[in-house]
Amino acid sequence: MKQAFRKNLKRNVVACAVLLFVGAAVYLNWSYSANLGEADAAMVAAEDAAAAAAEAEYQEALAADEEAGAETGSEYFASARLTRQQSRDEALSLLETAAAAEAASQETIDSAMDSIAAMATWSMQESQIENLLLAKDFDDCVAYISADSITVAVPSPAEGLSDAAVARITDTITTETEFDAGQIRIIEIREG
C-alpha cells in the first residue's frame, strides 16, 4: 500500500511540475507577445510582396536557364539582368510605399529602410562580382544576391566549367561578400 502511495505521489509531483512548466511557458509567451505589439499590416504586405518578387525572379532565372539553349549567351545575360532589375524596382517601390504610408509606425519605416539599404548593398555587390568575374576571363555573367544565398550564371563550354573556373568564381564571391561556398549556386549557360 505504501508503494502504491509513493507511486501516486511521484506521478502527482511530476504532473504538477509539468503543469507548472507549461503555465510558465504560456505566461512567458503571452508577455513576450504583449511587448512586441501588433504587426503593421502595410509592412507585412510589403515584405511578403518583396519576398514573392525575389522568389519569382529566382524561378524565372531557373526557367530561363533551362531555355538557354534557345537563346544565345548574350541574350540570356541581358534578359537575366533586365528581370533582376525589374523585380528589384518592384520590391523597392512596395517598400517605399509602406514606409511612406501615413499609418506606418516608426518600426515599419525602420524595417523598410533596412530592407532598402540591404537591396542597395546587394546591387552594389552584384555589380562588383560581375565586374571582377569579367576581369577574371569570363565572357559574361549575372549575379543575384538574396538574404541567404547568391546565384551566379556564367557561360560555360560544352564540357562544363573546369574546377579552376569554379574556384575563381567561389573565391571572388567569398572575398566580396559574407557568403560561404555552401551558399553559392553556379548556373552554367552552355555556349553555342
Side-chain angles (χ1 to χ4, degrees):
M1 183 160 195
K2 284 187 178 187
Q3 238 179 358
F5 177 73
R6 284 185 185 168
K7 195 174 190 181
N8 284 336
L9 181 62
K10 280 184 180 180
R11 189 176 303 155
N12 289 339
V13 169
V14 169
C16 287
V18 169
L19 186 59
L20 181 66
F21 286 128
V22 169
V26 168
Y27 172 75
L28 289 173
N29 189 26
W30 172 78
S31 78
Y32 180 72
S33 295
N35 289 337
L36 289 179
E38 298 269 333
D40 188 345
M43 188 61 203
V44 169
E47 287 177 348
D48 288 348
E55 179 63 24
E57 177 188 348
Y58 181 70
Q59 293 302 328
E60 286 177 20
L62 290 178
D65 178 42
E66 292 174 4
E67 297 173 6
E71 297 182 39
T72 66
S74 62
E75 289 174 355
Y76 169 81
F77 292 106
S79 174
R81 280 190 199 90
L82 180 62
T83 301
R84 178 184 67 192
Q85 188 61 44
Q86 287 172 338
S87 87
R88 282 269 165 80
D89 290 345
E90 290 172 21
L92 283 172
S93 175
L94 289 170
L95 289 167
E96 288 169 348
T97 301
E102 288 183 30
S105 67
Q106 187 60 43
E107 187 177 321
T108 299
I109 294 168
D110 292 344
S111 181
M113 291 300 140
D114 289 344
S115 295
I116 290 170
M119 286 181 163
T121 299
W122 295 341
S123 291
M124 288 175 26
Q125 287 178 327
E126 289 165 349
S127 293
Q128 185 148 3
I129 288 166
E130 290 169 358
N131 289 333
L132 289 170
L133 290 176
L134 290 174
K136 292 184 178 187
D137 294 329
F138 287 94
D139 294 335
D140 206 346
C141 63
V142 175
Y144 176 74
I145 298 176
S146 66
D148 57 359
S149 67
I150 181 168
T151 302
V152 179
V154 294
S156 72
E159 63 275 2
L161 291 174
S162 68
D163 290 342
V166 172
R168 283 195 320 260
I169 294 168
T170 303
D171 180 59
T172 301
I173 293 169
T174 57
T175 302
E176 295 301 316
T177 68
E178 295 181 6
F179 293 111
D180 61 35
Q183 296 171 298
I184 299 169
R185 178 152 191 238
I186 299 172
I187 298 175
E188 298 180 37
I189 306 302
R190 303 281 188 236
E191 296 176 337

